[in-house]
Amino acid sequence: QVQLVESGGGLVQAGGSLRLSCADSGRTLTSYAMGWFRQHPGKGREFVAAINWSGGSTNYANSVRGRFTISRDDRKNTIDLQMSSLRPEETGLYCCTESQSRTMVVSYVADLWGQGNQGTVSS
């Protein structure tokens, strides 16, 4: 059964850092492009970052570029999101996603979603 599970969220002060991880214990995550979205309370889902199947290509929302890094850890079979210099408005539910495409990171389309992991940034 396909199941994306996020971990690593929590509470941090503005300017601090959080690291999120996404895993699927039932299979490897190297077959497809994967990404992260953020959902704000009462708002829609917002694209954060995406990475292609090999890890050689990435894409970021303009608001996070230079502060966030998406990466693959093939040894751990995880997709990670390192977030730095966090802002209070970046509080939300961070969801790991998988695409049916192996390569598309620009105009990334998520086809499979994890349940999400809360990240809260206090001011």
Side-chain angles (χ1 to χ4, degrees), residues 63-74:
S63 63
V64 308
R65 188 170 287 115
R67 298 185 297 118
F68 289 17
T69 301
I70 187 170
S71 61
R72 291 184 175 271
D73 189 327
D74 292 342

Side-chain angles (χ1 to χ4, degrees), residues 14-110:
S17 299
L18 283 175
R19 186 177 183 88
L20 298 172
S21 288
C22 174
D24 184 334
S25 60
R27 62 200 175 99
T28 61
L29 297 178
T30 57
S31 298
Y32 301 101
M34 299 191 68
W36 289 90
F37 282 73
R38 177 171 61 219
Q39 185 166 0
H40 303 273
K43 299 182 181 180
R45 291 166 172 166
E46 176 187 15
F47 170 78
V48 176
I51 188 167
N52 75 339
W53 72 277
S54 68
S57 181
T58 58
N59 186 38
Y60 297 91
N62 289 336
S63 63
V64 308
R65 188 170 287 115
R67 298 185 297 118
F68 289 17
T69 301
I70 187 170
S71 61
R72 291 184 175 271
D73 189 327
D74 292 342
R75 182 176 60 86
K76 295 181 180 179
N77 194 37
T78 61
I79 305 297
D80 300 324
L81 183 68
Q82 177 67 45
M83 305 184 290
S84 302
S85 302
L86 282 160
R87 305 164 181 169
E89 59 267 31
E90 293 175 324
T91 292
L93 188 70
Y94 283 80
C95 295
C96 176
T97 67
E98 181 181 286
S99 173
Q100 290 186 348
S101 169
R102 288 166 60 87
T103 60
M104 186 176 292
V105 293
V106 177
S107 300
Y108 173 84
V109 176

